[in-house]
Amino acid sequence: MTSPQVSEPKAKKPDWLWIGLCVLVGVAAIFVAWRLVLPNPDLNAMPAFWSGVLINVGTSILLAGVLFVLERRFVKETRVVVAEAAEAAATQAVEHASNANNQLGARVSELEARLNEQLAEQQRIHDEALSSLTSDASYESVFPSLKMAYELGAVSQQGLTIPAGPDAGSPRIRFVYEPAFYDDEGGGHEEQLTVQYVAERKPNEMGTPIVSTLWHAGDHPTDVFRRLMADMVRSGRGNDTKRLKIGNAFTNLALALKEAMSARRGDESWQSGGSVIELLTDGWILTENGVETRGHGIVATPPQFTPPFSASERQAWRLPDKPKWADPEVWKVAMQRGQQELPTYSPFPF
């Protein structure tokens, strides 16, 4: 930006003839007035009257010439002052705009750098929490990691289900973070961590038992699983307690949370980034988007697990066919779990 240039009008030469004539007439009028009163000092006489008139007229004409010169000088000086003031103001405006642009650029750069630092610090905290979970199965590691994943939407609000064993057919355990909740009557609870056994319905069984236990701060993980397994026995699921492996449960929990968080943050991942419902086995998960596998993406979507309402259409309906590359046992578990967790609506409105 350049400062505006204030052009000065070209000055006209003084009209010396006019100035000289005014001076000459003024001096002549004063001289005549002086001559009128010189021989007759009587102030009441007529010559004295005209002498006063001529003095006033002569003085006025003489001042007109002098003021003409002074007025030109004053206008010239004023013009110079105005021009200098305008140029100074324009320069100051340019400098102010330049400084403002520089300061804005500095602020933007500072904000960008600060945001990147905050994001890096946030990711570092997440990574440290997840890393600690791989070697520490305490409440102090599990609770904040699961809460963090819940708040980011990396896991479903119903919790994260994992196999508590070495394969996809192992008994399934669900870790649920529940935020604080209070009703108008004063009931409710503070935020808490619940560990559930995901029971499968037996033939001719009315309903499916809910087996769960609260994990309180200070509880050792073996005490939590001991209580859970005792409830499993009371509900008739004693056989599954023999196959339940606490080490595999926490290993799979750490694996599922790490990959779910990475996908949710947009890091490089084989997962879609949808909220994870269940880890079926390594490389197989259920998300809100469907059944996902490493290397093949989404292989079955929620609508494919939704039976139609019509009875005639329901007879012809079936689950997706197994791809040639899929392991039969893993595919069977994936279809069973998908049918239970992923339908977009219930075929029975009641």
PDB file of all heavy atoms in Angstrom, residues 333-347:
ATOM      1  N   VAL A 333     -19.423 -67.363  14.510  1.00  0.00           N
ATOM      2  CA  VAL A 333     -19.546 -66.500  15.685  1.00  0.00           C
ATOM      3  C   VAL A 333     -19.924 -65.074  15.271  1.00  0.00           C
ATOM      4  O   VAL A 333     -20.749 -64.417  15.909  1.00  0.00           O
ATOM      5  CB  VAL A 333     -18.245 -66.504  16.503  1.00  0.00           C
ATOM      6  CG1 VAL A 333     -18.295 -65.460  17.617  1.00  0.00           C
ATOM      7  CG2 VAL A 333     -17.981 -67.880  17.080  1.00  0.00           C
ATOM      8  N   ALA A 334     -19.308 -64.571  14.173  1.00  0.00           N
ATOM      9  CA  ALA A 334     -19.593 -63.217  13.700  1.00  0.00           C
ATOM     10  C   ALA A 334     -21.058 -63.076  13.321  1.00  0.00           C
ATOM     11  O   ALA A 334     -21.707 -62.053  13.623  1.00  0.00           O
ATOM     12  CB  ALA A 334     -18.701 -62.873  12.516  1.00  0.00           C
ATOM     13  N   MET A 335     -21.626 -64.073  12.673  1.00  0.00           N
ATOM     14  CA  MET A 335     -23.035 -64.000  12.280  1.00  0.00           C
ATOM     15  C   MET A 335     -23.949 -64.084  13.513  1.00  0.00           C
ATOM     16  O   MET A 335     -24.973 -63.396  13.593  1.00  0.00           O
ATOM     17  CB  MET A 335     -23.372 -65.127  11.292  1.00  0.00           C
ATOM     18  CG  MET A 335     -22.662 -64.987   9.945  1.00  0.00           C
ATOM     19  SD  MET A 335     -23.067 -63.467   9.043  1.00  0.00           S
ATOM     20  CE  MET A 335     -21.604 -62.452   9.399  1.00  0.00           C
ATOM     21  N   GLN A 336     -23.590 -64.940  14.464  1.00  0.00           N
ATOM     22  CA  GLN A 336     -24.403 -65.044  15.673  1.00  0.00           C
ATOM     23  C   GLN A 336     -24.396 -63.738  16.465  1.00  0.00           C
ATOM     24  O   GLN A 336     -25.446 -63.250  16.889  1.00  0.00           O
ATOM     25  CB  GLN A 336     -23.886 -66.202  16.540  1.00  0.00           C
ATOM     26  CG  GLN A 336     -24.134 -67.580  15.955  1.00  0.00           C
ATOM     27  CD  GLN A 336     -23.496 -68.678  16.793  1.00  0.00           C
ATOM     28  OE1 GLN A 336     -22.655 -68.426  17.658  1.00  0.00           O
ATOM     29  NE2 GLN A 336     -23.884 -69.923  16.522  1.00  0.00           N
ATOM     30  N   ARG A 337     -23.224 -63.190  16.650  1.00  0.00           N
ATOM     31  CA  ARG A 337     -23.109 -61.957  17.419  1.00  0.00           C
ATOM     32  C   ARG A 337     -23.706 -60.777  16.647  1.00  0.00           C
ATOM     33  O   ARG A 337     -24.336 -59.897  17.233  1.00  0.00           O
ATOM     34  CB  ARG A 337     -21.646 -61.676  17.756  1.00  0.00           C
ATOM     35  CG  ARG A 337     -20.974 -62.759  18.575  1.00  0.00           C
ATOM     36  CD  ARG A 337     -21.668 -62.965  19.903  1.00  0.00           C
ATOM     37  NE  ARG A 337     -21.647 -61.736  20.679  1.00  0.00           N
ATOM     38  CZ  ARG A 337     -22.569 -61.411  21.585  1.00  0.00           C
ATOM     39  NH1 ARG A 337     -23.586 -62.218  21.814  1.00  0.00           N
ATOM     40  NH2 ARG A 337     -22.474 -60.281  22.246  1.00  0.00           N
ATOM     41  N   GLY A 338     -23.511 -60.739  15.338  1.00  0.00           N
ATOM     42  CA  GLY A 338     -24.094 -59.673  14.530  1.00  0.00           C
ATOM     43  C   GLY A 338     -25.602 -59.708  14.555  1.00  0.00           C
ATOM     44  O   GLY A 338     -26.270 -58.658  14.635  1.00  0.00           O
ATOM     45  N   GLN A 339     -26.182 -60.912  14.518  1.00  0.00           N
ATOM     46  CA  GLN A 339     -27.639 -61.037  14.559  1.00  0.00           C
ATOM     47  C   GLN A 339     -28.181 -60.582  15.903  1.00  0.00           C
ATOM     48  O   GLN A 339     -29.295 -60.062  15.989  1.00  0.00           O
ATOM     49  CB  GLN A 339     -28.032 -62.490  14.283  1.00  0.00           C
ATOM     50  CG  GLN A 339     -29.521 -62.685  14.050  1.00  0.00           C
ATOM     51  CD  GLN A 339     -29.865 -64.098  13.649  1.00  0.00           C
ATOM     52  OE1 GLN A 339     -29.018 -65.004  13.716  1.00  0.00           O
ATOM     53  NE2 GLN A 339     -31.108 -64.311  13.216  1.00  0.00           N
ATOM     54  N   GLN A 340     -27.397 -60.742  16.952  1.00  0.00           N
ATOM     55  CA  GLN A 340     -27.859 -60.345  18.272  1.00  0.00           C
ATOM     56  C   GLN A 340     -27.645 -58.859  18.540  1.00  0.00           C
ATOM     57  O   GLN A 340     -28.448 -58.232  19.237  1.00  0.00           O
ATOM     58  CB  GLN A 340     -27.129 -61.158  19.347  1.00  0.00           C
ATOM     59  CG  GLN A 340     -27.602 -60.866  20.765  1.00  0.00           C
ATOM     60  CD  GLN A 340     -27.029 -61.845  21.772  1.00  0.00           C
ATOM     61  OE1 GLN A 340     -26.506 -62.893  21.420  1.00  0.00           O
ATOM     62  NE2 GLN A 340     -27.141 -61.492  23.058  1.00  0.00           N
ATOM     63  N   GLU A 341     -26.606 -58.271  17.975  1.00  0.00           N
ATOM     64  CA  GLU A 341     -26.225 -56.901  18.327  1.00  0.00           C
ATOM     65  C   GLU A 341     -26.513 -55.853  17.253  1.00  0.00           C
ATOM     66  O   GLU A 341     -26.629 -54.674  17.567  1.00  0.00           O
ATOM     67  CB  GLU A 341     -24.724 -56.841  18.643  1.00  0.00           C
ATOM     68  CG  GLU A 341     -24.288 -57.713  19.806  1.00  0.00           C
ATOM     69  CD  GLU A 341     -24.761 -57.177  21.143  1.00  0.00           C
ATOM     70  OE1 GLU A 341     -25.201 -55.999  21.206  1.00  0.00           O
ATOM     71  OE2 GLU A 341     -24.691 -57.924  22.136  1.00  0.00           O
ATOM     72  N   LEU A 342     -26.653 -56.255  15.978  1.00  0.00           N
ATOM     73  CA  LEU A 342     -26.638 -55.265  14.904  1.00  0.00           C
ATOM     74  C   LEU A 342     -27.952 -55.024  14.162  1.00  0.00           C
ATOM     75  O   LEU A 342     -27.962 -54.160  13.280  1.00  0.00           O
ATOM     76  CB  LEU A 342     -25.574 -55.646  13.860  1.00  0.00           C
ATOM     77  CG  LEU A 342     -24.120 -55.557  14.318  1.00  0.00           C
ATOM     78  CD1 LEU A 342     -23.189 -55.947  13.179  1.00  0.00           C
ATOM     79  CD2 LEU A 342     -23.794 -54.154  14.806  1.00  0.00           C
ATOM     80  N   PRO A 343     -29.042 -55.725  14.400  1.00  0.00           N
ATOM     81  CA  PRO A 343     -30.258 -55.403  13.626  1.00  0.00           C
ATOM     82  C   PRO A 343     -30.635 -53.934  13.768  1.00  0.00           C
ATOM     83  O   PRO A 343     -30.525 -53.346  14.846  1.00  0.00           O
ATOM     84  CB  PRO A 343     -31.327 -56.310  14.247  1.00  0.00           C
ATOM     85  CG  PRO A 343     -30.557 -57.459  14.808  1.00  0.00           C
ATOM     86  CD  PRO A 343     -29.271 -56.859  15.308  1.00  0.00           C
ATOM     87  N   THR A 344     -31.076 -53.318  12.664  1.00  0.00           N
ATOM     88  CA  THR A 344     -31.443 -51.904  12.687  1.00  0.00           C
ATOM     89  C   THR A 344     -32.779 -51.684  13.391  1.00  0.00           C
ATOM     90  O   THR A 344     -33.077 -50.577  13.807  1.00  0.00           O
ATOM     91  CB  THR A 344     -31.529 -51.354  11.257  1.00  0.00           C
ATOM     92  OG1 THR A 344     -32.447 -52.173  10.500  1.00  0.00           O
ATOM     93  CG2 THR A 344     -30.165 -51.403  10.587  1.00  0.00           C
ATOM     94  N   TYR A 345     -33.610 -52.737  13.500  1.00  0.00           N
ATOM     95  CA  TYR A 345     -34.861 -52.634  14.264  1.00  0.00           C
ATOM     96  C   TYR A 345     -35.267 -54.053  14.655  1.00  0.00           C
ATOM     97  O   TYR A 345     -34.810 -55.045  14.094  1.00  0.00           O
ATOM     98  CB  TYR A 345     -35.967 -51.977  13.444  1.00  0.00           C
ATOM     99  CG  TYR A 345     -36.287 -52.688  12.154  1.00  0.00           C
ATOM    100  CD1 TYR A 345     -37.175 -53.747  12.129  1.00  0.00           C
ATOM    101  CD2 TYR A 345     -35.687 -52.289  10.964  1.00  0.00           C
ATOM    102  CE1 TYR A 345     -37.460 -54.406  10.939  1.00  0.00           C
ATOM    103  CE2 TYR A 345     -35.966 -52.954   9.770  1.00  0.00           C
ATOM    104  CZ  TYR A 345     -36.856 -54.009   9.776  1.00  0.00           C
ATOM    105  OH  TYR A 345     -37.133 -54.648   8.604  1.00  0.00           O
ATOM    106  N   SER A 346     -36.123 -54.118  15.642  1.00  0.00           N
ATOM    107  CA  SER A 346     -36.598 -55.428  16.088  1.00  0.00           C
ATOM    108  C   SER A 346     -37.762 -55.878  15.218  1.00  0.00           C
ATOM    109  O   SER A 346     -38.650 -55.084  14.886  1.00  0.00           O
ATOM    110  CB  SER A 346     -37.024 -55.344  17.547  1.00  0.00           C
ATOM    111  OG  SER A 346     -37.691 -56.552  17.928  1.00  0.00           O
ATOM    112  N   PRO A 347     -37.794 -57.165  14.820  1.00  0.00           N
ATOM    113  CA  PRO A 347     -38.957 -57.661  14.040  1.00  0.00           C
ATOM    114  C   PRO A 347     -40.214 -57.733  14.882  1.00  0.00           C
ATOM    115  O   PRO A 347     -41.304 -57.919  14.350  1.00  0.00           O
ATOM    116  CB  PRO A 347     -38.489 -59.040  13.583  1.00  0.00           C
ATOM    117  CG  PRO A 347     -37.475 -59.462  14.599  1.00  0.00           C
ATOM    118  CD  PRO A 347     -36.793 -58.194  15.029  1.00  0.00           C
TER     119      PRO A 347
END
